[in-house]
Amino acid sequence: NAGVMQNPRHLVRRRGQEARLRCSPMKGHSHVYWYRQLPEEGLKFMVYLQKENIIDESGMPKERFSAEFPKEGPSILRIQQVVRGDSAAYFCASHYQGNTEAFFGQGTRLTVV
Amino acid sequence: SQQGEEDPQALSIQEGENATMNCSYKTSINNLQWYRQNSGRGLVHLILIRSNEREKHSGRLRVTLDTSKKSSSLLITASRAADTASYFCATSYRSARQLTFGSGTQLTVLP
């Protein structure tokens, strides 16, 4: 059973471009979190998703950011028109229904140049 | 803020010594989890303790939970250089659906 898989591991985008970050949860996991981490800081919650449903998006910036977790396929975090301040490591974590023990992927490091 | 807070922010010890990190939180929780993060890497789940548990062990790790003080501690016994990492607590609050992380404790174990 592979762990949580995130890709790409590193992503470089120019200002104004779009960034798409993918997260494949562990097999059987129905819930996904997305977090952002700036250097030397803790993880900041962004969004909490169940398949085809957004449970909590209170940590998502109001503009340019969106997330989905379709019935089939990975969860996607999409950042439109990226700015330098979006540069960070983005982590996803998944867990089973009814069990909040969450397992993390290795993260995607986004650099906006 | 519901954010858990780890204490100390940084800790440096000699190999073989024990390391204790603390985490405080604000409101009622369902459970509390501890994670380790090596520099530039993802988070590794260490241990989960439920709100009705007071102590839990896993190998060289010992976690306690005091719900009256709203605090938890992580003890690493007989530390090794490989234990050098950042350690985070994460709380699952009853009032929120998200998993809330503290800012972490940076542990350095000197050989």
Side-chain angles (χ1 to χ4, degrees), chain A residues 58-83:
Chain A
S58 59
M60 288 281 270
K62 292 289 186 282
E63 299 176 345
R64 302 188 297 108
F65 285 72
S66 62
E68 63 175 6
F69 188 15
K71 187 177 180 180
E72 301 290 339
S75 175
I76 305 288
L77 178 66
R78 181 182 178 209
I79 311 172
Q80 296 178 290
Q81 299 174 331
V82 295
V83 301

mmCIF file with all atom_site columns, all heavy atoms in Angstrom, chain A residues 58-83:
data_model
loop_
_atom_site.group_PDB
_atom_site.id
_atom_site.type_symbol
_atom_site.label_atom_id
_atom_site.label_alt_id
_atom_site.label_comp_id
_atom_site.label_asym_id
_atom_site.label_entity_id
_atom_site.label_seq_id
_atom_site.pdbx_PDB_ins_code
_atom_site.Cartn_x
_atom_site.Cartn_y
_atom_site.Cartn_z
_atom_site.occupancy
_atom_site.B_iso_or_equiv
_atom_site.pdbx_formal_charge
_atom_site.auth_seq_id
_atom_site.auth_comp_id
_atom_site.auth_asym_id
_atom_site.auth_atom_id
_atom_site.pdbx_PDB_model_num
ATOM 1   N N   . SER A 1 58 ? -11.941 27.017 5.124   1.00 0.00 ? 58 SER A N   1
ATOM 2   C CA  . SER A 1 58 ? -11.735 28.269 5.846   1.00 0.00 ? 58 SER A CA  1
ATOM 3   C C   . SER A 1 58 ? -10.308 28.798 5.752   1.00 0.00 ? 58 SER A C   1
ATOM 4   O O   . SER A 1 58 ? -10.064 29.966 6.008   1.00 0.00 ? 58 SER A O   1
ATOM 5   C CB  . SER A 1 58 ? -12.120 28.092 7.322   1.00 0.00 ? 58 SER A CB  1
ATOM 6   O OG  . SER A 1 58 ? -11.342 27.071 7.914   1.00 0.00 ? 58 SER A OG  1
ATOM 7   N N   . GLY A 1 59 ? -9.358  27.952 5.373   1.00 0.00 ? 59 GLY A N   1
ATOM 8   C CA  . GLY A 1 59 ? -7.980  28.389 5.262   1.00 0.00 ? 59 GLY A CA  1
ATOM 9   C C   . GLY A 1 59 ? -7.562  28.771 3.843   1.00 0.00 ? 59 GLY A C   1
ATOM 10  O O   . GLY A 1 59 ? -6.417  29.164 3.621   1.00 0.00 ? 59 GLY A O   1
ATOM 11  N N   . MET A 1 60 ? -8.462  28.697 2.930   1.00 0.00 ? 60 MET A N   1
ATOM 12  C CA  . MET A 1 60 ? -8.142  28.993 1.536   1.00 0.00 ? 60 MET A CA  1
ATOM 13  C C   . MET A 1 60 ? -8.245  30.496 1.281   1.00 0.00 ? 60 MET A C   1
ATOM 14  O O   . MET A 1 60 ? -9.232  31.130 1.666   1.00 0.00 ? 60 MET A O   1
ATOM 15  C CB  . MET A 1 60 ? -9.110  28.269 0.590   1.00 0.00 ? 60 MET A CB  1
ATOM 16  C CG  . MET A 1 60 ? -8.885  26.790 0.529   1.00 0.00 ? 60 MET A CG  1
ATOM 17  S SD  . MET A 1 60 ? -7.495  26.362 -0.516  1.00 0.00 ? 60 MET A SD  1
ATOM 18  C CE  . MET A 1 60 ? -8.362  26.176 -2.082  1.00 0.00 ? 60 MET A CE  1
ATOM 19  N N   . PRO A 1 61 ? -7.238  31.070 0.622   1.00 0.00 ? 61 PRO A N   1
ATOM 20  C CA  . PRO A 1 61 ? -7.380  32.460 0.196   1.00 0.00 ? 61 PRO A CA  1
ATOM 21  C C   . PRO A 1 61 ? -8.630  32.609 -0.667  1.00 0.00 ? 61 PRO A C   1
ATOM 22  O O   . PRO A 1 61 ? -9.018  31.683 -1.386  1.00 0.00 ? 61 PRO A O   1
ATOM 23  C CB  . PRO A 1 61 ? -6.100  32.698 -0.614  1.00 0.00 ? 61 PRO A CB  1
ATOM 24  C CG  . PRO A 1 61 ? -5.124  31.705 -0.082  1.00 0.00 ? 61 PRO A CG  1
ATOM 25  C CD  . PRO A 1 61 ? -5.933  30.504 0.265   1.00 0.00 ? 61 PRO A CD  1
ATOM 26  N N   . LYS A 1 62 ? -9.239  33.778 -0.588  1.00 0.00 ? 62 LYS A N   1
ATOM 27  C CA  . LYS A 1 62 ? -10.532 33.989 -1.265  1.00 0.00 ? 62 LYS A CA  1
ATOM 28  C C   . LYS A 1 62 ? -10.386 33.968 -2.776  1.00 0.00 ? 62 LYS A C   1
ATOM 29  O O   . LYS A 1 62 ? -11.325 33.586 -3.493  1.00 0.00 ? 62 LYS A O   1
ATOM 30  C CB  . LYS A 1 62 ? -11.133 35.330 -0.824  1.00 0.00 ? 62 LYS A CB  1
ATOM 31  C CG  . LYS A 1 62 ? -11.555 35.349 0.637   1.00 0.00 ? 62 LYS A CG  1
ATOM 32  C CD  . LYS A 1 62 ? -12.775 34.493 0.864   1.00 0.00 ? 62 LYS A CD  1
ATOM 33  C CE  . LYS A 1 62 ? -13.301 34.622 2.285   1.00 0.00 ? 62 LYS A CE  1
ATOM 34  N NZ  . LYS A 1 62 ? -12.527 33.867 3.241   1.00 0.00 ? 62 LYS A NZ  1
ATOM 35  N N   . GLU A 1 63 ? -9.252  34.364 -3.283  1.00 0.00 ? 63 GLU A N   1
ATOM 36  C CA  . GLU A 1 63 ? -9.071  34.431 -4.727  1.00 0.00 ? 63 GLU A CA  1
ATOM 37  C C   . GLU A 1 63 ? -7.911  33.544 -5.163  1.00 0.00 ? 63 GLU A C   1
ATOM 38  O O   . GLU A 1 63 ? -6.992  33.276 -4.398  1.00 0.00 ? 63 GLU A O   1
ATOM 39  C CB  . GLU A 1 63 ? -8.808  35.885 -5.152  1.00 0.00 ? 63 GLU A CB  1
ATOM 40  C CG  . GLU A 1 63 ? -9.957  36.815 -4.815  1.00 0.00 ? 63 GLU A CG  1
ATOM 41  C CD  . GLU A 1 63 ? -9.630  38.270 -5.153  1.00 0.00 ? 63 GLU A CD  1
ATOM 42  O OE1 . GLU A 1 63 ? -8.453  38.582 -5.377  1.00 0.00 ? 63 GLU A OE1 1
ATOM 43  O OE2 . GLU A 1 63 ? -10.575 39.077 -5.198  1.00 0.00 ? 63 GLU A OE2 1
ATOM 44  N N   . ARG A 1 64 ? -7.968  33.106 -6.358  1.00 0.00 ? 64 ARG A N   1
ATOM 45  C CA  . ARG A 1 64 ? -6.906  32.396 -7.105  1.00 0.00 ? 64 ARG A CA  1
ATOM 46  C C   . ARG A 1 64 ? -6.711  30.942 -6.674  1.00 0.00 ? 64 ARG A C   1
ATOM 47  O O   . ARG A 1 64 ? -6.108  30.182 -7.414  1.00 0.00 ? 64 ARG A O   1
ATOM 48  C CB  . ARG A 1 64 ? -5.556  33.127 -7.005  1.00 0.00 ? 64 ARG A CB  1
ATOM 49  C CG  . ARG A 1 64 ? -5.586  34.554 -7.505  1.00 0.00 ? 64 ARG A CG  1
ATOM 50  C CD  . ARG A 1 64 ? -4.184  35.169 -7.563  1.00 0.00 ? 64 ARG A CD  1
ATOM 51  N NE  . ARG A 1 64 ? -3.558  35.250 -6.238  1.00 0.00 ? 64 ARG A NE  1
ATOM 52  C CZ  . ARG A 1 64 ? -2.550  34.482 -5.849  1.00 0.00 ? 64 ARG A CZ  1
ATOM 53  N NH1 . ARG A 1 64 ? -2.042  33.569 -6.664  1.00 0.00 ? 64 ARG A NH1 1
ATOM 54  N NH2 . ARG A 1 64 ? -2.040  34.624 -4.637  1.00 0.00 ? 64 ARG A NH2 1
ATOM 55  N N   . PHE A 1 65 ? -7.174  30.570 -5.504  1.00 0.00 ? 65 PHE A N   1
ATOM 56  C CA  . PHE A 1 65 ? -6.954  29.209 -5.005  1.00 0.00 ? 65 PHE A CA  1
ATOM 57  C C   . PHE A 1 65 ? -8.248  28.402 -5.082  1.00 0.00 ? 65 PHE A C   1
ATOM 58  O O   . PHE A 1 65 ? -9.323  28.885 -4.726  1.00 0.00 ? 65 PHE A O   1
ATOM 59  C CB  . PHE A 1 65 ? -6.478  29.229 -3.545  1.00 0.00 ? 65 PHE A CB  1
ATOM 60  C CG  . PHE A 1 65 ? -5.055  29.644 -3.357  1.00 0.00 ? 65 PHE A CG  1
ATOM 61  C CD1 . PHE A 1 65 ? -4.673  30.959 -3.543  1.00 0.00 ? 65 PHE A CD1 1
ATOM 62  C CD2 . PHE A 1 65 ? -4.091  28.711 -2.987  1.00 0.00 ? 65 PHE A CD2 1
ATOM 63  C CE1 . PHE A 1 65 ? -3.345  31.350 -3.369  1.00 0.00 ? 65 PHE A CE1 1
ATOM 64  C CE2 . PHE A 1 65 ? -2.769  29.087 -2.803  1.00 0.00 ? 65 PHE A CE2 1
ATOM 65  C CZ  . PHE A 1 65 ? -2.400  30.410 -2.983  1.00 0.00 ? 65 PHE A CZ  1
ATOM 66  N N   . SER A 1 66 ? -8.118  27.153 -5.525  1.00 0.00 ? 66 SER A N   1
ATOM 67  C CA  . SER A 1 66 ? -9.268  26.246 -5.515  1.00 0.00 ? 66 SER A CA  1
ATOM 68  C C   . SER A 1 66 ? -8.760  24.825 -5.311  1.00 0.00 ? 66 SER A C   1
ATOM 69  O O   . SER A 1 66 ? -7.589  24.524 -5.580  1.00 0.00 ? 66 SER A O   1
ATOM 70  C CB  . SER A 1 66 ? -10.061 26.359 -6.819  1.00 0.00 ? 66 SER A CB  1
ATOM 71  O OG  . SER A 1 66 ? -9.265  25.979 -7.921  1.00 0.00 ? 66 SER A OG  1
ATOM 72  N N   . ALA A 1 67 ? -9.644  23.967 -4.832  1.00 0.00 ? 67 ALA A N   1
ATOM 73  C CA  . ALA A 1 67 ? -9.266  22.571 -4.596  1.00 0.00 ? 67 ALA A CA  1
ATOM 74  C C   . ALA A 1 67 ? -10.445 21.677 -4.926  1.00 0.00 ? 67 ALA A C   1
ATOM 75  O O   . ALA A 1 67 ? -11.614 22.084 -4.800  1.00 0.00 ? 67 ALA A O   1
ATOM 76  C CB  . ALA A 1 67 ? -8.835  22.368 -3.147  1.00 0.00 ? 67 ALA A CB  1
ATOM 77  N N   . GLU A 1 68 ? -10.122 20.475 -5.357  1.00 0.00 ? 68 GLU A N   1
ATOM 78  C CA  . GLU A 1 68 ? -11.158 19.497 -5.629  1.00 0.00 ? 68 GLU A CA  1
ATOM 79  C C   . GLU A 1 68 ? -10.650 18.109 -5.296  1.00 0.00 ? 68 GLU A C   1
ATOM 80  O O   . GLU A 1 68 ? -9.454  17.849 -5.284  1.00 0.00 ? 68 GLU A O   1
ATOM 81  C CB  . GLU A 1 68 ? -11.584 19.564 -7.107  1.00 0.00 ? 68 GLU A CB  1
ATOM 82  C CG  . GLU A 1 68 ? -10.481 19.230 -8.080  1.00 0.00 ? 68 GLU A CG  1
ATOM 83  C CD  . GLU A 1 68 ? -10.984 19.190 -9.523  1.00 0.00 ? 68 GLU A CD  1
ATOM 84  O OE1 . GLU A 1 68 ? -12.147 19.536 -9.767  1.00 0.00 ? 68 GLU A OE1 1
ATOM 85  O OE2 . GLU A 1 68 ? -10.195 18.787 -10.397 1.00 0.00 ? 68 GLU A OE2 1
ATOM 86  N N   . PHE A 1 69 ? -11.583 17.213 -5.056  1.00 0.00 ? 69 PHE A N   1
ATOM 87  C CA  . PHE A 1 69 ? -11.258 15.816 -4.805  1.00 0.00 ? 69 PHE A CA  1
ATOM 88  C C   . PHE A 1 69 ? -12.358 15.017 -5.500  1.00 0.00 ? 69 PHE A C   1
ATOM 89  O O   . PHE A 1 69 ? -13.390 14.714 -4.919  1.00 0.00 ? 69 PHE A O   1
ATOM 90  C CB  . PHE A 1 69 ? -11.228 15.539 -3.303  1.00 0.00 ? 69 PHE A CB  1
ATOM 91  C CG  . PHE A 1 69 ? -10.727 14.175 -2.922  1.00 0.00 ? 69 PHE A CG  1
ATOM 92  C CD1 . PHE A 1 69 ? -10.046 13.359 -3.823  1.00 0.00 ? 69 PHE A CD1 1
ATOM 93  C CD2 . PHE A 1 69 ? -10.941 13.687 -1.643  1.00 0.00 ? 69 PHE A CD2 1
ATOM 94  C CE1 . PHE A 1 69 ? -9.586  12.100 -3.468  1.00 0.00 ? 69 PHE A CE1 1
ATOM 95  C CE2 . PHE A 1 69 ? -10.482 12.429 -1.260  1.00 0.00 ? 69 PHE A CE2 1
ATOM 96  C CZ  . PHE A 1 69 ? -9.803  11.633 -2.168  1.00 0.00 ? 69 PHE A CZ  1
ATOM 97  N N   . PRO A 1 70 ? -12.141 14.685 -6.766  1.00 0.00 ? 70 PRO A N   1
ATOM 98  C CA  . PRO A 1 70 ? -13.194 14.019 -7.532  1.00 0.00 ? 70 PRO A CA  1
ATOM 99  C C   . PRO A 1 70 ? -13.402 12.573 -7.105  1.00 0.00 ? 70 PRO A C   1
ATOM 100 O O   . PRO A 1 70 ? -12.584 12.000 -6.390  1.00 0.00 ? 70 PRO A O   1
ATOM 101 C CB  . PRO A 1 70 ? -12.665 14.106 -8.973  1.00 0.00 ? 70 PRO A CB  1
ATOM 102 C CG  . PRO A 1 70 ? -11.184 14.194 -8.827  1.00 0.00 ? 70 PRO A CG  1
ATOM 103 C CD  . PRO A 1 70 ? -10.935 14.950 -7.555  1.00 0.00 ? 70 PRO A CD  1
ATOM 104 N N   . LYS A 1 71 ? -14.492 12.008 -7.593  1.00 0.00 ? 71 LYS A N   1
ATOM 105 C CA  . LYS A 1 71 ? -14.805 10.617 -7.266  1.00 0.00 ? 71 LYS A CA  1
ATOM 106 C C   . LYS A 1 71 ? -13.688 9.685  -7.712  1.00 0.00 ? 71 LYS A C   1
ATOM 107 O O   . LYS A 1 71 ? -13.341 8.722  -7.026  1.00 0.00 ? 71 LYS A O   1
ATOM 108 C CB  . LYS A 1 71 ? -16.123 10.227 -7.941  1.00 0.00 ? 71 LYS A CB  1
ATOM 109 C CG  . LYS A 1 71 ? -16.647 8.864  -7.545  1.00 0.00 ? 71 LYS A CG  1
ATOM 110 C CD  . LYS A 1 71 ? -17.990 8.600  -8.208  1.00 0.00 ? 71 LYS A CD  1
ATOM 111 C CE  . LYS A 1 71 ? -18.527 7.240  -7.807  1.00 0.00 ? 71 LYS A CE  1
ATOM 112 N NZ  . LYS A 1 71 ? -19.830 6.965  -8.455  1.00 0.00 ? 71 LYS A NZ  1
ATOM 113 N N   . GLU A 1 72 ? -13.125 9.973  -8.868  1.00 0.00 ? 72 GLU A N   1
ATOM 114 C CA  . GLU A 1 72 ? -12.005 9.187  -9.378  1.00 0.00 ? 72 GLU A CA  1
ATOM 115 C C   . GLU A 1 72 ? -10.815 10.120 -9.576  1.00 0.00 ? 72 GLU A C   1
ATOM 116 O O   . GLU A 1 72 ? -10.976 11.237 -10.047 1.00 0.00 ? 72 GLU A O   1
ATOM 117 C CB  . GLU A 1 72 ? -12.369 8.541  -10.717 1.00 0.00 ? 72 GLU A CB  1
ATOM 118 C CG  . GLU A 1 72 ? -13.586 7.611  -10.651 1.00 0.00 ? 72 GLU A CG  1
ATOM 119 C CD  . GLU A 1 72 ? -13.302 6.343  -9.875  1.00 0.00 ? 72 GLU A CD  1
ATOM 120 O OE1 . GLU A 1 72 ? -12.116 5.988  -9.740  1.00 0.00 ? 72 GLU A OE1 1
ATOM 121 O OE2 . GLU A 1 72 ? -14.266 5.722  -9.385  1.00 0.00 ? 72 GLU A OE2 1
ATOM 122 N N   . GLY A 1 73 ? -9.639  9.638  -9.248  1.00 0.00 ? 73 GLY A N   1
ATOM 123 C CA  . GLY A 1 73 ? -8.444  10.429 -9.487  1.00 0.00 ? 73 GLY A CA  1
ATOM 124 C C   . GLY A 1 73 ? -7.979  11.194 -8.267  1.00 0.00 ? 73 GLY A C   1
ATOM 125 O O   . GLY A 1 73 ? -8.619  11.163 -7.199  1.00 0.00 ? 73 GLY A O   1
ATOM 126 N N   . PRO A 1 74 ? -6.843  11.901 -8.428  1.00 0.00 ? 74 PRO A N   1
ATOM 127 C CA  . PRO A 1 74 ? -6.237  12.570 -7.282  1.00 0.00 ? 74 PRO A CA  1
ATOM 128 C C   . PRO A 1 74 ? -6.971  13.837 -6.884  1.00 0.00 ? 74 PRO A C   1
ATOM 129 O O   . PRO A 1 74 ? -7.787  14.371 -7.646  1.00 0.00 ? 74 PRO A O   1
ATOM 130 C CB  . PRO A 1 74 ? -4.832  12.916 -7.806  1.00 0.00 ? 74 PRO A CB  1
ATOM 131 C CG  . PRO A 1 74 ? -5.039  13.112 -9.267  1.00 0.00 ? 74 PRO A CG  1
ATOM 132 C CD  . PRO A 1 74 ? -6.076  12.096 -9.664  1.00 0.00 ? 74 PRO A CD  1
ATOM 133 N N   . SER A 1 75 ? -6.652  14.330 -5.722  1.00 0.00 ? 75 SER A N   1
ATOM 134 C CA  . SER A 1 75 ? -7.088  15.653 -5.314  1.00 0.00 ? 75 SER A CA  1
ATOM 135 C C   . SER A 1 75 ? -6.165  16.671 -5.987  1.00 0.00 ? 75 SER A C   1
ATOM 136 O O   . SER A 1 75 ? -4.959  16.433 -6.132  1.00 0.00 ? 75 SER A O   1
ATOM 137 C CB  . SER A 1 75 ? -7.004  15.803 -3.798  1.00 0.00 ? 75 SER A CB  1
ATOM 138 O OG  . SER A 1 75 ? -7.323  17.114 -3.402  1.00 0.00 ? 75 SER A OG  1
ATOM 139 N N   . ILE A 1 76 ? -6.735  17.790 -6.398  1.00 0.00 ? 76 ILE A N   1
ATOM 140 C CA  . ILE A 1 76 ? -5.970  18.831 -7.081  1.00 0.00 ? 76 ILE A CA  1
ATOM 141 C C   . ILE A 1 76 ? -6.086  20.137 -6.297  1.00 0.00 ? 76 ILE A C   1
ATOM 142 O O   . ILE A 1 76 ? -7.198  20.551 -5.944  1.00 0.00 ? 76 ILE A O   1
ATOM 143 C CB  . ILE A 1 76 ? -6.505  19.082 -8.504  1.00 0.00 ? 76 ILE A CB  1
ATOM 144 C CG1 . ILE A 1 76 ? -6.539  17.796 -9.324  1.00 0.00 ? 76 ILE A CG1 1
ATOM 145 C CG2 . ILE A 1 76 ? -5.684  20.174 -9.199  1.00 0.00 ? 76 ILE A CG2 1
ATOM 146 C CD1 . ILE A 1 76 ? -5.197  17.283 -9.739  1.00 0.00 ? 76 ILE A CD1 1
ATOM 147 N N   . LEU A 1 77 ? -4.940  20.760 -6.052  1.00 0.00 ? 77 LEU A N   1
ATOM 148 C CA  . LEU A 1 77 ? -4.908  22.129 -5.539  1.00 0.00 ? 77 LEU A CA  1
ATOM 149 C C   . LEU A 1 77 ? -4.442  23.007 -6.691  1.00 0.00 ? 77 LEU A C   1
ATOM 150 O O   . LEU A 1 77 ? -3.372  22.779 -7.255  1.00 0.00 ? 77 LEU A O   1
ATOM 151 C CB  . LEU A 1 77 ? -3.953  22.252 -4.350  1.00 0.00 ? 77 LEU A CB  1
ATOM 152 C CG  . LEU A 1 77 ? -3.812  23.660 -3.751  1.00 0.00 ? 77 LEU A CG  1
ATOM 153 C CD1 . LEU A 1 77 ? -5.111  24.113 -3.107  1.00 0.00 ? 77 LEU A CD1 1
ATOM 154 C CD2 . LEU A 1 77 ? -2.674  23.703 -2.737  1.00 0.00 ? 77 LEU A CD2 1
ATOM 155 N N   . ARG A 1 78 ? -5.266  23.980 -7.032  1.00 0.00 ? 78 ARG A N   1
ATOM 156 C CA  . ARG A 1 78 ? -4.993  24.812 -8.191  1.00 0.00 ? 78 ARG A CA  1
ATOM 157 C C   . ARG A 1 78 ? -4.781  26.252 -7.738  1.00 0.00 ? 78 ARG A C   1
ATOM 158 O O   . ARG A 1 78 ? -5.586  26.793 -6.980  1.00 0.00 ? 78 ARG A O   1
ATOM 159 C CB  . ARG A 1 78 ? -6.164  24.723 -9.161  1.00 0.00 ? 78 ARG A CB  1
ATOM 160 C CG  . ARG A 1 78 ? -6.029  25.499 -10.433 1.00 0.00 ? 78 ARG A CG  1
ATOM 161 C CD  . ARG A 1 78 ? -7.307  25.333 -11.237 1.00 0.00 ? 78 ARG A CD  1
ATOM 162 N NE  . ARG A 1 78 ? -7.278  26.099 -12.471 1.00 0.00 ? 78 ARG A NE  1
ATOM 163 C CZ  . ARG A 1 78 ? -8.368  26.586 -13.063 1.00 0.00 ? 78 ARG A CZ  1
ATOM 164 N NH1 . ARG A 1 78 ? -9.548  26.379 -12.539 1.00 0.00 ? 78 ARG A NH1 1
ATOM 165 N NH2 . ARG A 1 78 ? -8.264  27.270 -14.180 1.00 0.00 ? 78 ARG A NH2 1
ATOM 166 N N   . ILE A 1 79 ? -3.675  26.830 -8.185  1.00 0.00 ? 79 ILE A N   1
ATOM 167 C CA  . ILE A 1 79 ? -3.376  28.236 -7.882  1.00 0.00 ? 79 ILE A CA  1
ATOM 168 C C   . ILE A 1 79 ? -3.258  28.970 -9.202  1.00 0.00 ? 79 ILE A C   1
ATOM 169 O O   . ILE A 1 79 ? -2.377  28.688 -10.015 1.00 0.00 ? 79 ILE A O   1
ATOM 170 C CB  . ILE A 1 79 ? -2.056  28.386 -7.088  1.00 0.00 ? 79 ILE A CB  1
ATOM 171 C CG1 . ILE A 1 79 ? -2.012  27.413 -5.892  1.00 0.00 ? 79 ILE A CG1 1
ATOM 172 C CG2 . ILE A 1 79 ? -1.920  29.832 -6.598  1.00 0.00 ? 79 ILE A CG2 1
ATOM 173 C CD1 . ILE A 1 79 ? -0.672  27.385 -5.186  1.00 0.00 ? 79 ILE A CD1 1
ATOM 174 N N   . GLN A 1 80 ? -4.163  29.898 -9.412  1.00 0.00 ? 80 GLN A N   1
ATOM 175 C CA  . GLN A 1 80 ? -4.135  30.681 -10.655 1.00 0.00 ? 80 GLN A CA  1
ATOM 176 C C   . GLN A 1 80 ? -3.331  31.958 -10.468 1.00 0.00 ? 80 GLN A C   1
ATOM 177 O O   . GLN A 1 80 ? -3.247  32.495 -9.354  1.00 0.00 ? 80 GLN A O   1
ATOM 178 C CB  . GLN A 1 80 ? -5.573  31.034 -11.071 1.00 0.00 ? 80 GLN A CB  1
ATOM 179 C CG  . GLN A 1 80 ? -6.427  29.835 -11.406 1.00 0.00 ? 80 GLN A CG  1
ATOM 180 C CD  . GLN A 1 80 ? -7.860  30.221 -11.755 1.00 0.00 ? 80 GLN A CD  1
ATOM 181 O OE1 . GLN A 1 80 ? -8.609  30.633 -10.898 1.00 0.00 ? 80 GLN A OE1 1
ATOM 182 N NE2 . GLN A 1 80 ? -8.214  30.091 -13.018 1.00 0.00 ? 80 GLN A NE2 1
ATOM 183 N N   . GLN A 1 81 ? -2.724  32.409 -11.545 1.00 0.00 ? 81 GLN A N   1
ATOM 184 C CA  . GLN A 1 81 ? -1.990  33.684 -11.566 1.00 0.00 ? 81 GLN A CA  1
ATOM 185 C C   . GLN A 1 81 ? -1.051  33.786 -10.365 1.00 0.00 ? 81 GLN A C   1
ATOM 186 O O   . GLN A 1 81 ? -1.166  34.707 -9.541  1.00 0.00 ? 81 GLN A O   1
ATOM 187 C CB  . GLN A 1 81 ? -2.979  34.848 -11.587 1.00 0.00 ? 81 GLN A CB  1
ATOM 188 C CG  . GLN A 1 81 ? -3.868  34.827 -12.820 1.00 0.00 ? 81 GLN A CG  1
ATOM 189 C CD  . GLN A 1 81 ? -4.962  35.906 -12.775 1.00 0.00 ? 81 GLN A CD  1
ATOM 190 O OE1 . GLN A 1 81 ? -5.401  36.299 -11.699 1.00 0.00 ? 81 GLN A OE1 1
ATOM 191 N NE2 . GLN A 1 81 ? -5.381  36.364 -13.939 1.00 0.00 ? 81 GLN A NE2 1
ATOM 192 N N   . VAL A 1 82 ? -0.154  32.855 -10.261 1.00 0.00 ? 82 VAL A N   1
ATOM 193 C CA  . VAL A 1 82 ? 0.711   32.776 -9.079  1.00 0.00 ? 82 VAL A CA  1
ATOM 194 C C   . VAL A 1 82 ? 1.535   34.051 -8.905  1.00 0.00 ? 82 VAL A C   1
ATOM 195 O O   . VAL A 1 82 ? 1.902   34.736 -9.870  1.00 0.00 ? 82 VAL A O   1
ATOM 196 C CB  . VAL A 1 82 ? 1.654   31.555 -9.149  1.00 0.00 ? 82 VAL A CB  1
ATOM 197 C CG1 . VAL A 1 82 ? 0.850   30.270 -9.098  1.00 0.00 ? 82 VAL A CG1 1
ATOM 198 C CG2 . VAL A 1 82 ? 2.563   31.590 -10.365 1.00 0.00 ? 82 VAL A CG2 1
ATOM 199 N N   . VAL A 1 83 ? 1.801   34.352 -7.621  1.00 0.00 ? 83 VAL A N   1
ATOM 200 C CA  . VAL A 1 83 ? 2.649   35.477 -7.229  1.00 0.00 ? 83 VAL A CA  1
ATOM 201 C C   . VAL A 1 83 ? 3.785   34.932 -6.378  1.00 0.00 ? 83 VAL A C   1
ATOM 202 O O   . VAL A 1 83 ? 3.717   33.791 -5.904  1.00 0.00 ? 83 VAL A O   1
ATOM 203 C CB  . VAL A 1 83 ? 1.851   36.553 -6.454  1.00 0.00 ? 83 VAL A CB  1
ATOM 204 C CG1 . VAL A 1 83 ? 0.703   37.079 -7.311  1.00 0.00 ? 83 VAL A CG1 1
ATOM 205 C CG2 . VAL A 1 83 ? 1.305   35.991 -5.155  1.00 0.00 ? 83 VAL A CG2 1
#
